[in-house]
Amino acid sequence: NAFAGTGKVEESARHLKLARAKAQTIDDENFGLALNDTAIEIAHRAGRHADAVTAALLAADALQRSYRQLADDEQAGARERWARGLTRGVLSAAKLGRADDAFQLIELNRAGALRRALGGTDRVYGALLDPALRAEEAEARAQETSAVDRLRAARGGDLSAKQLKALEGELRAARERLHDLDRRVQRGAASARDVTAPTLPTLAEVQKDMAADEAHVLYSMAGEAAVAVVVTKKTKRVVELGPSAILRDLCEDLLVDYEGTIDRERLIELVQLVVMPLRLKNTLRRVRVSPSGPLGYVPFSLLFPGHEVVLVPSAATYALLAEPSAKGTARVLALGDPLYAEKGEASVLRGARAGRSLTRLPATKAEAEAIGDDVLLGAGATEAALRKTLGTQAHWRAVHLACHGLVDPERPMFCSLALTPGDGDDGFLTVLEVMRLKVPADLVVLSACETGRGRVVAGEGILGLTRAFMLAGAPRVLVSLWQVDDEATRMLMEHFYTVWKAGSVGPAEALVKAQNHVRTYKQPGKAGGASKQPYKDPRFWAGWALWGLR
C-alpha cells in the first residue's frame, strides 16, 4: 500500500501478490478485506479497470457478511472504513462504461441495514421488544429524567460551579448509558433481520418494473470523483460527474443559512454538474433519486422543476417498499401543537439534545384539525396517546405529526420529535422508539423542522427519522430539509391533503401541486393595493422531500 501511495504500481502489485499468498494461511476476514482494498486501489491506479471492478465486487460481497451483527451506527463506521475501495470499483466501472457493474456495486454497499430490516420486519420488531433490555432501558431513562430535573432545580439555586459541573456529569453519564443500551438493542435487531435478508435486484429487474415516463438516478460521491447511474425503462448508462469535493462544497454552500435561503448561483452550478450530464428526456414525468452524501440534503424539487421527485435509499429498498401492504381505513391521524415547558430555563433543558429552546407552534393546531380525522392536540399530544391511537386502526391513510424536530447527527438514534411530556414519557419520540412502533400507514408526514436530516454515512445514506418510520411500516415519508415557516407549512400541508385525498393523484404529484400553490399564493393588498406573493421564495416551499414510493 505504501508503494501504491508513491505511484510505484508494479512494485505494489508484486508485494500484494506475496501478501495474498501469506493471507491464505491466516483466518482473518479484516486482513483479507484490507488486502482486497489495496488490490482495488492498485488495479484502479494502473488503469486495469476490469480487475478493479472484479476485486470490488468480491469485497462488497464479503462486507455484507461482516456487517450482519452490527448496530446501525456501528455499521456506519465500518462502511465508511471500506467505502474508498468500493468507490474505486464504481469509478473503474464508469471508465469502462459498465452500467450494470456500477449499479451492482452502489447497491451492494447502500442501505444494507435498511434493506435487510425491510425483508424481515416482524423479526426485527420482536428483537426491539426484548423484555430484559426494555426494563434496563426504562431504568436508564428514569436516571436521565432524574438528572435533568435535579440539574434544572439546581440552576435556580445557589450551588457552586463545582456542584453544577458534577450534576452535568451525571446527566452526560446517564445519556451515555442510554446510548450503549441503544446499540445493544440494535445488535439484537441486526441478528434478527439477517434471517430473511432479501436478494438484490439486477438492473434488468429494476427496468422491468419501471414506468415508461420515469427515471431512476443513483448517485455515488464517496470517492474523489462523483458518478451517476441513470436507468430508464429501455436505457442504462453510467456518467462521470466531476470531483466530489466540488459537489460537496456546492451542497454546503447552496443553503446560505439554516432558514433555507437559496444561493441561486450555487443552484445553477449544481444543476450543471449533477443534472445536465444525465441527459434526461423532457418527456419524463418522474425521477427517482438515490442520493449520496450531502446530496441527501439538497432540494431536488429545484433541480428537477416540473417533475415528480421521490428520494429512495436504493433501488432494492424501493422494490421492498413497493410490496403490497394491508389496506384498511382511509382515516388520517394528526398530532399538533404539543405543550412544551412554559418557562425559558425549563424549555432550554427540555430541548437540550438540540441545544435550543422549544416554543409553542400555534399554527400546527389549525393544521392538524384541518387534516386529521383523529386528532391529538396540546396536553393530549403525548407519546402514550400516539401509541394508543395508532393501534385503533389496522391501517391508516396517513399519520401526520406537526411539532418540533430535533437532530443529533453524532448519535442519530437520538434524533427525535418533541411531543408533550407526560404519561411516564419524556416527550422525545426518538429514532429507536419509532422503530419499536408499528405505523401501518400509506404515508407518514413529519411536519417539523429538519426531519429529513440526521447522520450522513458513506454508502448507507442518512440515519435518522426517515429510515425509522420506514422500518415502522410506512412506505412513504414526507420530511423537511431545513427550518420551515409555520404559516407557509400549514398552507402547504392543507393543500397537499386536499389534492391527495381527492384520489386522482399520488403523494409525489400532490406535493408538486402543493408547493406550486404556496409559491404562487397571492395575498390581497390593503385598500385595493397590489397583491403580494409572500411565499414565493424557495425557502418557504422547496424544503419538503418525499422519501419512498411515489
Side-chain angles (χ1 to χ4, degrees):
N1 205 8
F3 281 111
T6 61
K8 298 178 180 179
V9 174
E10 294 305 322
E11 189 73 4
S12 298
R14 186 173 68 82
H15 282 274
L16 178 63
K17 185 177 180 179
L18 293 172
R20 277 186 159 169
K22 181 67 175 176
Q24 292 177 0
T25 66
I26 302 174
D27 185 18
D28 186 334
E29 188 172 51
N30 279 331
F31 184 51
L33 284 169
L35 284 173
N36 210 41
D37 200 51
T38 303
I40 300 168
E41 176 78 12
I42 291 171
H44 179 79
R45 284 174 177 263
R48 298 200 297 266
H49 296 300
D51 292 339
V53 171
T54 299
L57 288 169
L58 289 172
D61 185 60
L63 285 168
Q64 300 312 304
R65 295 193 301 272
S66 71
Y67 294 153
R68 288 174 180 173
Q69 306 302 319
L70 300 178
D72 277 4
D73 52 353
E74 291 173 322
Q75 278 198 34
R79 288 182 185 280
E80 288 175 333
R81 179 183 178 188
W82 302 111
R84 180 180 175 85
L86 297 185
T87 301
R88 292 291 199 196
V90 174
L91 293 176
S92 285
K95 294 291 185 185
L96 298 170
R98 287 160 55 170
D100 288 89
D101 287 332
F103 172 85
Q104 188 175 1
L105 279 170
I106 292 172
E107 282 288 300
L108 277 169
N109 200 44
R110 176 161 291 177
L114 177 60
R115 172 169 49 85
R116 288 195 299 276
L118 289 171
T121 304
D122 289 339
R123 287 184 174 87
V124 175
Y125 184 72
L128 290 169
L129 294 176
D130 178 87
L133 282 178
R134 290 300 301 274
E136 192 173 350
E137 187 191 24
E139 180 186 347
R141 290 201 181 280
Q143 288 181 350
E144 182 199 33
T145 299
S146 174
V148 168
D149 290 341
R150 284 186 289 116
L151 181 58
R152 182 173 58 204
R155 284 182 172 172
D158 55 359
L159 292 185
S160 67
K162 184 176 180 180
Q163 290 172 314
L164 283 174
K165 187 175 181 180
L167 288 174
E168 289 170 352
E170 288 181 22
L171 179 57
R172 283 195 301 273
R175 286 181 173 163
E176 284 304 318
R177 184 186 177 194
L178 269 175
H179 186 49
D180 290 340
L181 281 167
D182 284 347
R183 279 189 166 177
R184 288 168 58 190
V185 173
Q186 289 178 67
R187 290 187 195 116
S191 298
R193 67 190 173 208
D194 192 55
V195 175
T196 53
T199 58
L200 283 168
T202 65
L203 196 151
E205 289 171 335
V206 171
Q207 288 180 298
K208 182 180 177 181
D209 293 333
M210 292 182 70
D213 61 352
E214 69 180 353
H216 192 138
V217 183
L218 294 95
Y219 289 101
S220 173
M221 53 184 293
E224 73 273 14
V227 169
V229 177
V230 187
V231 186
T232 66
K233 183 75 172 177
K234 295 183 178 181
T235 66
K236 58 185 179 182
R237 63 183 180 278
V238 55
V239 182
E240 295 182 74
L241 302 176
S244 293
I246 293 177
L247 288 183
R248 290 192 190 95
D249 290 343
L250 279 174
C251 291
E252 292 173 3
D253 293 344
L254 180 63
L255 302 182
V256 175
D257 57 46
Y258 236 26
E259 303 231 342
T261 301
I262 302 295
D263 185 323
R264 295 182 183 276
E265 290 185 4
R266 293 289 185 269
L267 178 63
I268 292 172
E269 289 182 62
L270 198 59
V271 168
Q272 291 172 339
L273 284 172
V274 303
V275 177
M276 299 301 291
L278 306 180
R279 304 195 312 274
L280 298 177
K281 293 183 178 180
N282 293 330
T283 54
L284 289 176
R285 176 184 179 185
R286 184 182 310 112
V287 183
R288 295 185 339 213
V289 177
S290 293
S292 174
L295 279 174
Y297 293 154
V298 167
F300 274 92
S301 59
L302 295 177
L303 300 189
F304 296 102
H307 291 78
E308 298 175 24
V309 179
V310 291
L311 304 181
V312 290
S314 69
T317 53
Y318 186 89
L320 289 167
L321 290 168
E323 291 180 356
S325 59
K327 296 298 178 184
T329 181
R331 299 180 71 82
V332 173
L333 167 59
L335 177 149
D337 192 24
L339 297 180
Y340 303 123
E342 295 179 1
K343 294 182 180 180
E345 178 64 21
S347 179
V348 171
L349 285 169
R350 278 293 182 189
R353 289 178 188 165
R356 71 170 194 261
S357 99
L358 302 178
T359 56
R360 290 283 294 272
L361 301 170
T364 62
K365 180 177 185 294
E367 180 182 325
E369 289 175 332
I371 288 167
D373 300 297
D374 296 80
V375 181
L376 302 174
L377 296 173
T382 64
E383 295 177 64
L386 177 61
R387 285 191 291 267
K388 181 179 179 180
T389 309
L390 280 171
T392 63
Q393 301 292 336
H395 197 84
W396 295 88
R397 181 81 184 276
V399 173
H400 185 96
L401 304 174
C403 54
H404 278 296
L406 309 178
V407 179
D408 191 334
E410 296 303 318
R411 298 183 296 181
M413 291 297 148
F414 281 170
C415 291
S416 61
L417 298 173
L419 310 185
T420 300
D423 297 325
D425 294 313
D426 62 2
F428 295 110
L429 183 65
T430 66
V431 162
L432 193 62
E433 288 171 329
V434 171
M435 289 165 63
R436 291 195 184 116
L437 291 174
K438 285 204 172 183
V439 187
D442 291 332
L443 170 71
V444 167
V445 178
L446 304 183
S447 183
C449 293
E450 304 168 325
T451 49
R453 302 181 75 87
R455 179 180 174 187
V456 177
V457 177
E460 187 67 20
I462 299 173
L463 304 185
L465 289 163
T466 303
R467 169 195 295 260
F469 276 100
M470 285 182 173
L471 286 174
R476 304 171 186 84
V477 186
L478 181 57
V479 298
S480 64
L481 300 175
W482 53 66
Q483 293 185 27
V484 295
D485 180 84
D486 208 14
E487 186 59 31
T489 297
R490 180 196 63 77
M491 183 183 300
L492 183 142
M493 290 300 173
E494 289 184 13
H495 194 81
F496 169 83
Y497 279 97
T498 298
V499 173
W500 182 46
K501 281 186 172 182
S504 59
V505 303
E509 186 175 350
L511 178 59
V512 173
K513 292 181 180 295
Q515 288 174 318
N516 286 335
H517 172 74
V518 173
R519 179 177 61 84
T520 60
Y521 169 72
K522 292 184 178 181
Q523 187 179 56
K526 295 181 180 180
S531 59
K532 299 179 181 179
Q533 291 180 279
Y535 305 125
K536 184 178 180 180
D537 193 281
R539 72 186 179 91
F540 291 107
W541 53 268
W544 294 98
L546 180 66
W547 281 84
L549 304 182
R550 63 183 176 88

